[in-house]
Amino acid sequence: MLSLAAAAAACASGSAAGPVDSGIHGRVLYGPTCPVQLVGQSCTRPYQATISVRSKSTGRLLARVRSSTQGYFSVRLAPGRYVLTPESGHPFPTSSPQSVVVYRHRYTSVTVRYDSGIR
């Protein structure tokens, strides 16, 4: 699901050569979700979150995307270096910014992980 800002940024970052055919596909996961993980048991689940996409060189906000209830998101971006900054809770769940490189004619796959605070 793309936000209005993401759609505008994708259009604005296109070149005269044609539409943008690159960007980021991602999945947001939340965990651990159980205090003790048993063999064969997954202690993560998809998570719906809002993520800001900024230019790594300028820090300029280019897009804000919200993952689906299944944790998936996608944003079209011109080739370049970006920083994904997930919105965190207070105090949990938490997530850290991560750098991403987008190459021409490709979508870069990323996983954004949120820490539930369960120990």
Side-chain angles (χ1 to χ4, degrees), residues 36-91:
V36 177
Q37 183 172 353
L38 304 174
V39 174
Q41 178 184 29
S42 174
C43 283
T44 60
R45 66 173 173 82
Y47 189 63
Q48 190 171 38
T50 300
I51 300 165
S52 297
V53 181
R54 295 183 178 275
S55 165
K56 185 161 183 151
S57 61
T58 67
R60 182 174 155 229
L61 177 65
L62 300 174
R64 284 176 48 94
V65 296
R66 183 145 175 93
S67 60
S68 70
T69 56
Q70 292 303 308
Y72 293 103
F73 69 93
S74 183
V75 61
R76 289 187 305 163
L77 296 163
R81 295 179 184 278
Y82 301 94
V83 176
L84 302 182
T85 306
E87 287 185 7
S88 292
H90 300 287

Side-chain angles (χ1 to χ4, degrees), residues 19-41:
V20 175
D21 64 349
S22 57
I24 299 170
H25 287 310
R27 183 102 194 259
V28 182
L29 299 175
Y30 172 87
T33 57
C34 43
V36 177
Q37 183 172 353
L38 304 174
V39 174
Q41 178 184 29

